[in-house]
Amino acid sequence: MSEENPSLVPLPGHLYVVATPIGNTADVSTRSTSILSKVDLIACEDTRTSGMLFARLGIKRPLIAYHDRNERKAAASLVERLQSGESIALVSDAGTPAISDPGFRIVRECRRANVPVVPIPGPCAFVTLLSVSGLPSDSFLYVGFLPPKSAARRRFLEEHKEFERTVIVYESCHRIEKFMAEMEDVLGLDRVICIGRELTKKFETIHSGTIGDIKPLFEQGSKKGEFVVIIAPKSFEL
Ligand code: SAM
């Protein structure tokens, strides 16, 4: 009789921080499916969004909401449940929890209370794009979402105009055109960037080149969906 790989079975009183696909359901790992199928409880950023993924994967575990609005309160009660011996998985709507998503607070509370926290790694949008960008990936600054106000974003770009490391930004479909224009204004047409849209999904689009090269392609393409933007170090040339 073969024994089950112990890393596929959740332990009592452990928090599992589980990455989920950023679009393509086939990117879910064997280990994440196994842990999610066996924990006592899954804390989700949005129980409806995760519920749809779990329905496709045949995962039927109790779900509880853990999001920006209830993070502080929910973190304390989840730690109590972990201390009483329940195994809990934390997922966000897509990708890796705590990366521009809720998660940091519960992990911090677990660490303060000596509750074991186990990473179950998987997709993350910026790592996905960085790995295929052809831009320097040895040292980078990940900033997540820039402030919504144009003046603040321009200030950030001014501050990083001469930066000699790669900069990575998350952007929504509502602001991507504005951000492209801001990058052109502040960084100039010769700065090398990489833009990834709808990564791992049907309409995945990746452009790598100078802002001047990418501009016409970007203008012709759809602006719907989710975007990651990577800005190369100042002196980088393709
Ligand atoms: N936790 C996620 C991760 O590990 O990447 C990030 C969540 S954050 C709330 C959502 C942002 O991530 C989107 O606005 C977009 O900038 C980026 N993103 C997520 N999925 C993406 C995808 N499939 N293609 C491009 N960008 C994506």
Side-chain angles (χ1 to χ4, degrees):
M1 207 176 80
S2 67
E3 268 185 34
E4 190 162 22
N5 177 343
S7 76
L8 300 179
V9 184
L11 294 168
H14 284 53
L15 176 73
Y16 293 84
V17 178
V18 183
T20 54
I22 56 168
N24 192 327
T25 311
D27 289 336
V28 75
S29 75
T30 307
R31 189 167 172 227
S32 63
T33 311
S34 179
I35 293 292
L36 289 168
S37 305
K38 293 176 184 146
V39 283
D40 294 312
L41 180 71
I42 306 177
C44 309
E45 186 182 1
D46 183 327
T47 52
R48 275 176 307 174
T49 306
S50 297
M52 285 190 276
L53 172 70
F54 299 155
R56 263 180 271 149
L57 297 172
I59 293 167
K60 293 179 190 146
R61 306 305 304 144
L63 309 181
I64 191 170
Y66 177 86
H67 44 63
D68 288 337
R69 297 164 319 275
N70 74 351
E71 231 186 323
R72 280 169 207 275
K73 240 175 148 182
S77 110
L78 289 172
V79 169
E80 274 176 28
R81 293 180 73 158
L82 286 156
Q83 285 173 321
S84 76
E86 287 187 75
S87 58
I88 300 180
L90 172 72
V91 298
S92 58
D93 286 352
T96 303
I99 304 298
S100 297
D101 262 342
F104 149 74
R105 282 207 170 75
I106 177 149
V107 172
R108 182 181 59 181
E109 291 315 307
C110 285
R111 297 225 167 266
R112 283 178 174 163
N114 284 322
V115 167
V117 182
V118 183
I120 309 289
C124 174
F126 84 80
V127 177
T128 302
L129 185 63
L130 184 60
S131 70
V132 297
S133 65
L135 272 49
S137 52
D138 51 344
S139 175
F140 56 85
L141 174 68
Y142 167 70
V143 291
F145 292 100
L146 290 177
K149 292 233 164 82
S150 186
R153 287 205 305 271
R154 280 176 182 272
R155 204 175 318 122
F156 173 86
L157 291 171
E158 291 287 358
E159 283 164 10
H160 292 84
K161 200 174 166 178
E162 309 293 321
F163 199 54
E164 283 299 357
R165 290 198 166 94
T166 296
V167 176
I168 306 172
V169 177
Y170 278 174
E171 195 51 279
S172 78
C173 56
H174 310 294
R175 274 192 289 269
I176 189 69
E177 283 181 277
K178 235 175 161 199
F179 188 51
M180 194 63 186
E182 289 158 359
M183 284 194 295
E184 181 184 332
D185 272 6
V186 179
L187 305 176
L189 287 171
D190 292 334
R191 189 63 167 258
V192 174
I193 62 167
C194 179
I195 300 191
R197 179 178 85 90
E198 295 290 87
L199 298 167
T200 78
K201 303 184 197 176
K202 187 172 174 190
F203 296 109
E204 178 180 88
T205 314
I206 298 170
H207 298 305
S208 228
T210 64
I211 293 179
D213 291 338
I214 289 178
K215 196 178 166 187
L217 302 169
F218 175 76
E219 283 171 357
Q220 281 159 27
S222 166
K223 318 293 181 300
K224 287 191 189 141
E226 303 187 281
F227 291 83
V228 181
V229 178
I230 305 185
I231 303 168
K234 161 112 181 18
S235 28
F236 178 75
E237 288 176 28
L238 273 175

